[in-house]
Amino acid sequence: MAFCEVSQEQTPGTDAYAGDFGFKVLTAADPAEKTKKLNAEIANGRLAMMAIIGMFFQDGLTGSAWGDWANYTASPLRAFENELGVQAPVGFWDPAGFTADGSVEDFKRRRATEIKHGRISMLATMGYITPEITGKFPGYLSPSAGLKFADVPNGLAAISKVPAAGWGQILAYMAFCEVSQEQTPGTDAYAGDFGFKVLTAADPAEKTKKLNAEIANGRLAMMAIIGMFFQDGLTGSAWGDWANYTASPLRAFENELGVQAPVGFWDPAGFTADGSVEDFKRRRATEIKHGRISMLATMGYITPEITGKFPGYLSPSAGLKFADVPNGLAAISKVPAAGWGQILAYMAFCEVSQEQTPGTDAYAGDFGFKVLTAADPAEKTKKLNAEIANGRLAMMAIIGMFFQDGLTGSAWGDWANYTASPLRAFENELGVQAPVGFWDPAGFTADGSVEDFKRRRATEIKHGRISMLATMGYITPEITGKFPGYLSPSAGLKFADVPNGLAAISKVPAAGWGQILAYMAFCEVSQDQTPGTDAYAGDFGFKVLTASDPAEKTKKLSAELANGRLAMMAIIGMFFQDGLTGSAWGDWANYTASPLR
């Protein structure tokens, strides 16, 4: 390596610095052949860099950089492949990488833990299942406490029933299992063999088979017991038909009003998970009230549209007729104070006219109006269920109506009828074109301000015109060539000396920039552009660009806006491409002066 470094001068600019050490076997005397071989060398070198990294990685993991996996016997990944618990079709599976370091000590410690957890889980799982199948022991679990085995429920509910002495026995048995045999690393007990030949076997092959089965069953039991705990905690039982989970807190409200097919009792937010009847009834009372108010509000929107409004005056003293009050949200500002007083008084009457303390009929929503309910309990239940369902629908409907009314000025109907909506203020302006129509995703015009719209439109027209000039300024010299003669005779600068695009910025003399700025200033001050003038709207009187005919003028101005929008996108793209490549268009092969080359 040192010889290669010092045998030739490799300072910048030398052949050796470029990789040519004069070995003509690797390169060539012929320049074309030399270039071909150097290109091949670079490509092969890139491939080799990738290959050697892959080889290093595979060699480090498996002890060899290639070949059949069956030959990687010295790989740390092979250390545990023949251990107990490695079963088809998965094989040795360690997605968390616990064994990646190849530590046999750590593996055996985790295996001892896995076996214990699996055995405890199998006992726990059978402890759930056995009493359900065979029944419980006869007699007393604790004679002194008068507690029979039959009195202890199955599953998690037993935790609070087992007396302290029972827990003591359980802990004592666990301690016996731990200390009855030596379980230091390397012993049979550490590996899970306590000498119970029913569980294992004197025959090594049979022993291996049974221990494999035990590990697999233990893994299954660990999953099963967690599932049982979860289901037991939720439903009060670890298995069986949902119809049998009558004591589950989820069952507390399944037969209440409002539980309807096909969803049944639906509480995705878990408000009723604690099983509190008091909280449920309070929320139900609130739901009924909100539903009734929403049904009245929804009908309040719909009825005047269908039947018309009351004749006469809403407020004779104010000279306000019912017909003068608009429908929907717009009515809020029209209803006089006395009208709001009446609304609030009616609401108060509904609240105080009957006792609504918890447990009363009114608290449950029954105010004695038998048209809404019924003397027949079955019919009453049917109608109250319908009322809750309709109230839920109305709560959704009224929110939708408020939203649509606030946006469009009406809660329904054909968009063509929303003539008073602030969204309609600019729908017939120049620049509104099919198929998009009036498009303002950023909501600049949501406030309906005509003044702001016109200011933005004047700005858009100017930006569009400048962008069209700039775009043509890029394109024209490429097609027609540049002016003959001098741009600046005093500086000896010809038009042909000024490059196209961004590169021209540094070439144009100060006097040229002065002329450009003077023309821009002339455009700004040559006509009055105050709001309301033709020039403010973009009409400078050049009838070539517009027209004397209003329809033709509108068509041309719409085309100008569309072209200006296109030019704003185009010039930004040209600037970007020019800055990157040195030219705003053309074949990449021609971008020889680009810094990317």
Side-chain angles (χ1 to χ4, degrees):
M1 291 167 67
F3 170 76
C4 292
E5 287 297 307
V6 303
S7 60
Q8 294 197 35
E9 185 184 0
Q10 297 185 50
T11 54
T14 62
D15 287 344
Y17 185 75
D20 181 1
F21 285 79
F23 303 117
K24 299 307 179 186
V25 177
L26 292 177
T27 63
D30 175 22
E33 186 67 16
K34 175 180 174 181
T35 300
K36 179 182 176 182
K37 288 189 176 181
L38 286 175
N39 268 327
E41 181 189 30
I42 289 171
N44 291 338
R46 289 168 179 167
L47 178 62
M49 285 186 276
M50 298 298 292
I52 197 64
I53 292 294
M55 287 175 174
F56 285 158
F57 184 80
Q58 190 172 358
D59 193 359
L61 277 179
T62 68
S64 174
W66 49 77
D68 184 359
W69 170 247
N71 298 326
Y72 298 161
T73 52
S75 167
L77 296 181
R78 276 338 248 285
F80 315 111
E81 201 172 48
N82 296 315
E83 293 288 339
L84 291 171
V86 178
Q87 296 177 316
V90 175
F92 182 69
W93 194 64
D94 177 22
F98 288 127
T99 60
D101 57 2
S103 170
V104 174
E105 181 183 358
D106 287 346
F107 175 83
K108 289 186 175 179
R109 176 176 55 79
R110 293 189 181 102
R111 169 51 52 81
T113 305
E114 180 187 27
I115 290 172
K116 285 185 181 178
H117 287 176
R119 287 172 177 173
I120 292 168
S121 296
M122 286 188 281
L123 287 170
T125 302
M126 293 307 297
Y128 259 101
I129 295 171
T130 305
E132 296 285 338
I133 298 173
T134 64
K136 298 173 183 175
F137 291 116
Y140 286 88
L141 170 64
S142 175
S144 61
L147 181 67
K148 295 181 178 181
F149 286 102
D151 297 333
V152 180
N154 200 12
L156 296 177
I159 293 173
S160 62
K161 298 293 185 180
V162 175
W167 285 112
Q169 291 173 43
I170 293 169
L171 293 173
Y173 176 69
M174 292 166 65
F176 169 76
C177 293
E178 286 296 307
V179 301
S180 61
Q181 292 198 33
E182 186 184 358
Q183 298 185 50
T184 54
T187 61
D188 288 344
Y190 186 74
D193 181 359
F194 283 77
F196 304 119
K197 298 306 178 188
V198 176
L199 292 177
T200 63
D203 175 22
E206 187 67 16
K207 177 180 171 180
T208 299
K209 179 181 176 182
K210 287 188 175 181
L211 286 176
N212 265 326
E214 181 191 32
I215 290 173
N217 291 340
R219 290 167 178 169
L220 178 62
M222 286 187 272
M223 298 298 292
I225 198 64
I226 290 296
M228 287 175 171
F229 285 159
F230 186 79
Q231 190 171 359
D232 191 357
L234 277 180
T235 67
S237 174
W239 50 76
D241 185 359
W242 170 245
N244 297 327
Y245 298 160
T246 52
S248 168
L250 297 181
R251 268 345 235 290
F253 315 110
E254 202 172 47
N255 296 315
E256 294 287 339
L257 291 171
V259 178
Q260 297 176 314
V263 176
F265 182 68
W266 194 64
D267 176 23
F271 289 126
T272 60
D274 58 2
S276 171
V277 175
E278 180 183 358
D279 288 346
F280 176 83
K281 289 187 174 177
R282 175 176 55 78
R283 292 189 182 103
R284 170 50 52 82
T286 305
E287 179 188 29
I288 290 172
K289 284 184 181 178
H290 287 174
R292 287 172 176 172
I293 292 169
S294 296
M295 286 188 281
L296 287 170
T298 302
M299 293 307 299
Y301 258 100
I302 295 171
T303 305
E305 297 284 339
I306 298 173
T307 64
K309 298 174 182 176
F310 291 117
Y313 287 88
L314 170 63
S315 174
S317 61
L320 182 67
K321 294 181 178 181
F322 286 102
D324 298 333
V325 179
N327 200 13
L329 295 177
I332 293 173
S333 62
K334 298 293 185 180
V335 176
W340 285 112
Q342 291 174 45
I343 293 169
L344 294 173
Y346 175 69
M347 292 167 65
F349 170 75
C350 293
E351 286 296 307
V352 302
S353 60
Q354 292 197 35
E355 185 184 358
Q356 298 185 50
T357 54
T360 61
D361 288 344
Y363 185 73
D366 182 359
F367 283 78
F369 304 119
K370 299 304 178 189
V371 177
L372 292 176
T373 63
D376 175 22
E379 188 66 17
K380 175 180 172 181
T381 298
K382 179 181 176 183
K383 288 187 175 181
L384 287 175
N385 266 327
E387 180 190 31
I388 290 173
N390 291 338
R392 290 167 178 168
L393 178 62
M395 285 188 273
M396 298 298 292
I398 197 64
I399 290 295
M401 287 176 170
F402 284 160
F403 185 81
Q404 191 171 358
D405 192 357
L407 277 180
T408 67
S410 175
W412 50 77
D414 184 0
W415 170 246
N417 298 327
Y418 298 160
T419 52
S421 168
L423 297 182
R424 267 353 237 286
F426 314 111
E427 202 172 46
N428 297 315
E429 293 287 339
L430 290 171
V432 178
Q433 295 176 316
V436 176
F438 182 68
W439 194 64
D440 177 22
F444 288 127
T445 60
D447 58 2
S449 170
V450 175
E451 179 183 359
D452 287 345
F453 175 83
K454 289 185 174 178
R455 176 177 54 79
R456 292 190 182 102
R457 171 50 52 81
T459 305
E460 180 187 27
I461 290 172
K462 286 184 181 178
H463 287 174
R465 287 173 176 171
I466 291 169
S467 296
M468 286 189 282
L469 287 170
T471 302
M472 293 307 298
Y474 258 100
I475 295 171
T476 305
E478 298 283 340
I479 298 172
T480 64
K482 298 173 184 176
F483 291 117
Y486 286 88
L487 170 64
S488 174
S490 61
L493 182 68
K494 296 181 178 180
F495 285 104
D497 297 333
V498 179
N500 200 13
L502 295 177
I505 293 174
S506 62
K507 298 292 186 179
V508 176
W513 285 112
Q515 291 174 44
I516 293 170
L517 293 173
Y519 176 69
M520 292 166 65
F522 169 75
C523 293
E524 286 296 307
V525 301
S526 60
Q527 292 200 34
D528 180 15
Q529 297 185 52
T530 54
T533 61
D534 288 344
Y536 185 74
D539 182 359
F540 283 77
F542 303 120
K543 298 306 178 188
V544 177
L545 292 177
T546 63
S548 299
D549 175 19
E552 187 66 16
K553 176 180 172 180
T554 298
K555 179 181 176 182
K556 288 188 175 180
L557 287 175
S558 280
E560 181 191 31
L561 282 171
N563 292 337
R565 290 166 179 169
L566 178 62
M568 285 188 272
M569 298 298 292
I571 196 63
I572 290 295
M574 287 175 171
F575 284 159
F576 185 80
Q577 190 172 357
D578 191 357
L580 277 180
T581 67
S583 174
W585 49 77
D587 184 359
W588 171 246
N590 298 327
Y591 299 160
T592 53
S594 169
L596 297 181
R597 285 294 196 175

